Amino acid sequence: MKTVSLYFQVHQPLRLKTYRFFNMGKDHNYLDVSVNRSIMQRVAAECYLPMNNLLLRLIKEMEGKFKVTFSISGLAIEQFRSYTPEVLDSFRALAETGCVEFLAETYSHSLSSLISPAEFKKEVDAHIALMKEEFGYTPTAFRNTELIYSDQIGEQVAAMGFRTMLAEGARHVLGWKSPNFVYANALDSKLRLLMRNYKLSDDIAFRFSNQGWGEWPLTAEKYAGWIADENTSGEVINLFMDYETFGEHQKAQSGIFDFMAALPKAMLATGQLEFKTVTESAAAHQPTGVLYCMHAMSWADEERDVTAWLGNELQNEAFKKLYGLEEKVNALNSPDFDYVWNFMKASDHFYYMATKWFSDGDVHSYFNPYDSAYTAFINYMNVLSDFDIELEKALAEKGVEVAEQSAEKEAKKAPAAKKAPAKKAAAPKKATAAKKPATKKAAAK
């Protein structure tokens, strides 16, 4: 029997409004509430609600033989609470079946694992607490933002007590090895790794509705046959994808929901496939070897590295500026400032600044509110500069001094930037005055 693990990522960032230089010091309302609400309500109607209802029906029909795994970012949960509470209810109904696993991840869907071990752990702890609060569920497996993984990151995850972690089955890391086996972390062999089979996953996530694809139309029986076929070697088949694949990336009229409705029965009918959550899958199979990954990889783009977020000078300048504020935010210890800090850390902001348009333009343009990487950079830096001003004022009012040099040292640990096609843009000058500290209520305007 081969084990099939279906895993879905659920995340939506809090998008910034158009924020100009002349807003700084005057306007601390950073979010575009109408855009965030409309996107969340649209995706809920097209994807989250119909897909959750379908999965619930399939779980009941299969009588426990069909299982799935989710990770849901803290920023997505916050928006479910505000804009679509019925989505949270539908996830709770799935949790109650006992056939759904929820993973731990970074609360803000951030890149903190690449620069700050302390912030990384803080976010994971916050996300675990959120899963307990919303679903009464304590995660036992971990999935990092965009499947970002390296030997060192895996070691940190193992130190947090996790024994299972997801990673991309990147060819430049696996080499001749197959992603269809369980592997162990190179620095802590207690951590088991489940590798994404990107070809089979992307057949659904990206190629399903492509009529120019040689395998179109893809049926559940054909797909199940590929996995069950003896030429598909291995013990575990890990199908990991964005949840928005269903109804958003692949529209309902493409037949994606009908495909998913027929898939569990088609797979079980082969007599050679079984469904398990990722924790169950990792526990059912012994690691076949150690995976060595010295440099961070991810599931993004053709390169499967972190250049989607930190591949040009714009991204790296914004990234270092952001994490240069870490000590100030922690020293202030204010819920209102923490709220802004959280949505500013979302990896999406750096993704919008990507200049990799030639090979991966369609992917980077999806859900992107900006017309260029430069516009995304300027808007983000304007908000960040105003946030910094307010931080300084709030710290001064409390009489707290922060050694900025120490924070700057940490920020310099970020991965080196690659040159971007666009010119490097300088951060906007700081405004000299501000009316009041950024608050959770104000920021949500």
Side-chain angles (χ1 to χ4, degrees), residues 312-375:
N312 65 44
E313 294 178 0
L314 303 177
Q315 293 167 313
N316 278 273
E317 182 171 341
F319 189 64
K320 292 176 182 179
K321 169 70 174 177
L322 173 68
Y323 281 91
L325 303 180
E326 180 182 343
E327 290 190 14
K328 294 180 184 179
V329 173
N330 290 335
L332 187 59
N333 192 27
S334 161
D336 290 339
F337 280 86
D338 287 345
Y339 173 71
V340 178
W341 170 245
N342 276 333
F343 67 68
M344 290 298 287
K345 286 185 296 181
S347 63
D348 308 75
H349 300 304
F350 304 98
Y351 200 70
Y352 300 148
M353 300 176 201
T355 48
K356 300 171 63 176
W357 298 106
F358 297 104
S359 61
D360 302 291
D362 289 342
V363 176
H364 284 269
S365 63
Y366 207 88
F367 283 136
N368 190 339
Y370 303 100
D371 57 8
S372 73
Y374 187 78
T375 302

Side-chain angles (χ1 to χ4, degrees), residues 240-259:
F240 303 164
M241 63 200 76
D242 287 331
Y243 203 34
E244 293 81 11
T245 293
F246 302 91
E248 188 64 32
H249 302 323
Q250 307 293 338
K251 299 299 184 181
Q253 54 266 33
S254 71
I256 190 67
F257 289 106
D258 294 333
F259 170 82

